[in-house]
Amino acid sequence: MNEPTPVTAAPSAPAREPITCHVLDLTTGRPASSVSVSLTLLRPLGPSAPLTAVTSSDGRINQWNGEAGSTLAEVFDNLAEHANGKMVWSLKFDTGSYFGEDQTFFPEVEVKFFVDAKSGHYHIPLLLGPWSYTTYRGS
């Protein structure tokens, strides 16, 4: 009699960061890869040392790098107890390096936004051209 093969769980995906972003190049209609982005806590207790990342080939940042191995999830967990979990964050996109300094009006794009640590995930897409940009809260 054959013994049933035990079912093993698939490896779980890494937990999603509380804040992610996505950059789309409106001149090409494609994701903007290799854009340097920094994420800084402004309030409360800020400004913090920035977390940094570079957009992937699909224009996304799903993981932030912090000083001394600190993570965004740890910051959220610690701040959820302060100021009712209300925060202000800043995303800075290095658009001058992406387009080239003589090819864009904006050397960088900064987006400041409110966050409630208890309200889940925040996704901030940036639709980017050399002479304009727009952003919104994504899902």
Side-chain angles (χ1 to χ4, degrees):
M1 181 155 117
N2 291 340
E3 291 290 322
T5 305
V7 177
T8 58
S12 61
R16 180 167 61 169
E17 293 275 24
I19 299 173
T20 57
C21 66
H22 190 190
V23 183
L24 298 171
D25 183 333
L26 295 177
T27 62
T28 63
R30 304 195 50 86
S33 63
S34 302
V35 176
S36 295
V37 183
S38 66
L39 176 64
T40 305
L41 173 67
L42 300 177
R43 288 192 317 234
L45 311 174
S48 67
L51 294 120
T52 59
V54 175
T55 57
S56 65
S57 61
D58 69 349
R60 295 181 183 274
I61 290 180
N62 294 314
Q63 189 71 43
W64 297 98
N65 303 307
E67 288 184 357
S70 62
T71 69
L72 184 56
E74 290 170 343
V75 172
F76 264 66
D77 290 343
N78 292 334
L79 286 174
E81 302 169 8
H82 300 287
N84 297 322
K86 304 290 186 201
M87 298 178 256
V88 176
W89 288 86
S90 167
L91 277 169
K92 286 186 183 176
F93 300 86
D94 183 4
T95 55
S97 294
Y98 176 74
F99 284 115
E101 289 189 18
D102 295 337
Q103 303 299 314
T104 184
F105 184 65
F106 303 103
E108 75 178 9
V109 170
E110 181 176 17
V111 179
K112 295 179 182 179
F113 52 99
F114 292 106
V115 168
D116 181 341
K118 299 171 184 132
S119 292
H121 178 250
Y122 289 78
H123 182 69
I124 296 86
L126 179 68
L127 309 178
L128 181 63
W131 316 114
S132 66
Y133 65 90
T134 191
T135 188
Y136 57 96
R137 181 175 178 187
S139 56

